[in-house]
Amino acid sequence: MSLLKLTDLHKSFGAVKVLRGVNLEVAAGEVIGLVGDNGAGKSTLMKTITGVYPVDDGMVRFDDEDVTHLNPGERRARGIEMIYQDLALAGQQDVANNIFLGREPTKRLWGILPSFVDKARIDSEAQKMIDRLGVRIPSIHLPVGMLSGGQQQTIAIARALTFQPKLVIMDEPTAALAVREVQSVLDLIEQMRSEGIAVILISHRLNDVFEACGRIVVLRQGSVIADLNKKETNMNEVVSYIVGAHG
Amino acid sequence: MKLASLLARAHVRAESLAVLIALSAVMAIISPVFLSFGNLFNIILATATYGILAIGATFVISAAGIDLSLGSVLGLASVTGAFLVVNLGLPWPFAIVGCLAAGLAAGAVNGLIIVRGRVPAFIVTLGMLGIARGLALIISSGRGIYGLPEEILFLGQARPFGVPTPVYVLIVVALVAHYILAHTPFGAHTLALGDNEAAARATGIDVRRQRLMLYSLSGLMAGLAGLIFTARVNTGDPTAGLNYELLAITAAIIGGTNLFGGRGSILGTMIGALIMGVLQNGLNLMAVQAYYQQMAIGIVLIAAVWLDQIRSRGRI
């Protein structure tokens, strides 16, 4: 039984057909690599899963529910998280607030005033999550704009993991990182898999894809042209699918 | 250091407070009457009207927006409330309802056009600046509407426990606004929207709804300021609030609100509004012509943004 099921997704921007009938299934605890050339439709496909883009046609099923017409907030509440390439962090807000952005826990202040953001709880849970990921951040009270790329990447991951997601989509999580930081991201993906979280990893770095993923899906010109088991393929074959040279 | 952390917790910039104190000290030395109770009340009373406007400006600017129509909407609200009660003879509560509804409606129209039509806020609110002022002049036939009932005048002229009513109104509104901006999800989403709109959307914040509510709130503040103004001068005045958007936006900016969004504080804005009040009052006491005061405020606005630019270039 699959966790995520995409059926015949179509999406156009004006005259440009970006997705032309995408079918894909992802099971719980499965790590799949989504690869393809620039303009193949990877980012668009991911945004139709998170709900940022409504689809023109087709269906998105998640956890035995049709989520096609739900907005990003509703899908996030059901366990679909995405870590964007640009990280989607609010640079002037502090680390803890970024982790809880859009889902701030509230309480009643002095038992009376409603909707009081529970900053103490945000801080303590954010600290716990940072500790659990085993990363060093000088302070959770710093604005994220003052942190390094690797540290910001970690905060984006921490935000995705804080609310027990079932599916995490990562868009180029290793592209801007130093070698040591790349390994820690790959370790985190393995940790997620072992906890039963499904991961879709979008990456141009095939080395990372082969290390982290069990299955590799190639997108070309808006449709899935190959769905490969890592053990039965190799890098040359994947590259030939990506560039459209596979016979 | 304890003071610094206290200020940080209250979301107030130490520099703004230092400027306010320094400015007050200078004025006190120059003019012996500056520190008298009567004069301090004058300052706060004058501050009350555009202080309320500045609260609206703070919300909108924190979300990387702008509302240039604040002063004109104040004028529209003023004549709408007075017209209902004086010209149509409706009971006094309609003055309150009229002012607030006119402000809210103008703000909601701003928000709807910005969100639905994707017209830049700068253009929409600049257009509303003309529309609201024109409408105010049409409703009032270009004349002041005099003779409001006692109950309304209480809101502007009474002094319960020796303090003018507008001061109470300002304090209550500022505290509620501070709570909303600094301590509720609505406030957090406002700052996130101003900081990085794509991030706000990605985390599931409904940015269209947020914008619509922010501009409506800004309009509502202009309506409330219009009510206080009307009560204070006992007139539905179509020219009320002329150039007040300059005062309101300047107060917000020198209070520490980031013109490009992502940072804003109501308590900071209140200090900014007091700085404007002290500056105007001091120039009055020194018998400086009103024309120069306009210039002074304009210079303060540009200088505040300039300093902020220099400071932020040094950081992130």
Side-chain angles (χ1 to χ4, degrees), chain B residues 40-216:
Chain B
L40 291 181
F41 276 145
N42 277 341
I43 294 173
I44 305 179
L45 196 54
T47 307
T49 318
Y50 60 78
I52 293 172
L53 283 189
I55 289 170
T58 304
F59 273 95
V60 169
I61 297 172
S62 295
I66 192 78
D67 188 350
L68 299 175
S69 69
L70 283 165
S72 294
V73 173
L74 187 160
L76 174 63
S78 176
V79 297
T80 306
F83 185 85
L84 292 181
V85 178
V86 177
N87 294 31
L88 299 185
L90 294 169
W92 66 266
F94 279 87
I96 298 176
V97 173
C99 287
L100 298 183
L104 183 63
V109 168
N110 279 339
L112 278 174
I113 296 173
I114 290 163
V115 168
R116 297 251 162 195
R118 296 171 192 230
V119 185
F122 177 82
I123 294 301
V124 175
T125 60
L126 185 62
M128 182 58 77
L129 178 147
I131 294 166
R133 185 65 69 195
L135 202 51
L137 290 162
I138 291 166
I139 292 171
S140 63
S141 310
R143 292 185 298 270
I145 303 171
Y146 305 99
L148 285 126
E150 281 297 319
E151 292 86 348
I152 293 303
L153 299 186
F154 176 85
L155 287 173
Q157 300 175 352
R159 292 184 168 237
F161 307 105
V163 180
T165 331
V167 177
Y168 292 106
V169 176
L170 176 66
I171 290 173
V172 170
V173 173
L175 287 176
V176 172
H178 170 76
Y179 182 81
I180 292 173
L181 185 58
H183 295 295
T184 67
F186 182 86
H189 298 173
T190 299
L191 295 174
L193 170 59
D195 202 330
N196 182 347
E197 183 177 345
R201 192 175 291 126
T203 53
I205 296 168
D206 188 341
V207 299
R208 288 157 61 95
R209 180 169 163 270
Q210 189 75 18
R211 275 222 176 81
L212 179 59
M213 290 178 73
L214 285 166
Y215 284 95
S216 302

Side-chain angles (χ1 to χ4, degrees), chain A residues 52 72-73 76 84 86 88-93 101-104 106 109 113-117 143 145-146 159, chain B residues 179 182-185 188-189 191-192 194-196 198-205 258 260-263 315-316:
Chain A
V52 172
R76 220 180 154 205
Y84 292 86
D86 63 8
L89 296 169
Q92 295 172 79
Q93 318 305 318
L101 195 58
R103 288 184 296 206
E104 299 81 3
T106 58
L109 183 63
L113 299 176
S115 300
F116 183 82
V117 172
M146 295 179 73
R159 178 168 69 192
Chain B
Y179 182 81
H183 295 295
T184 67
H189 298 173
L191 295 174
D195 202 330
N196 182 347
R201 192 175 291 126
T203 53
I205 296 168
N258 184 353
F260 306 103
R263 189 186 68 230
R315 275 197 320 193
I316 303 165

Side-chain angles (χ1 to χ4, degrees), chain A residues 33 40 69 75-76 129 150 159 178 198 205 209:
Chain A
H69 300 291
R75 296 195 199 186
R76 220 180 154 205
M129 183 50 74
R159 178 168 69 192
R205 291 162 67 142
V209 172

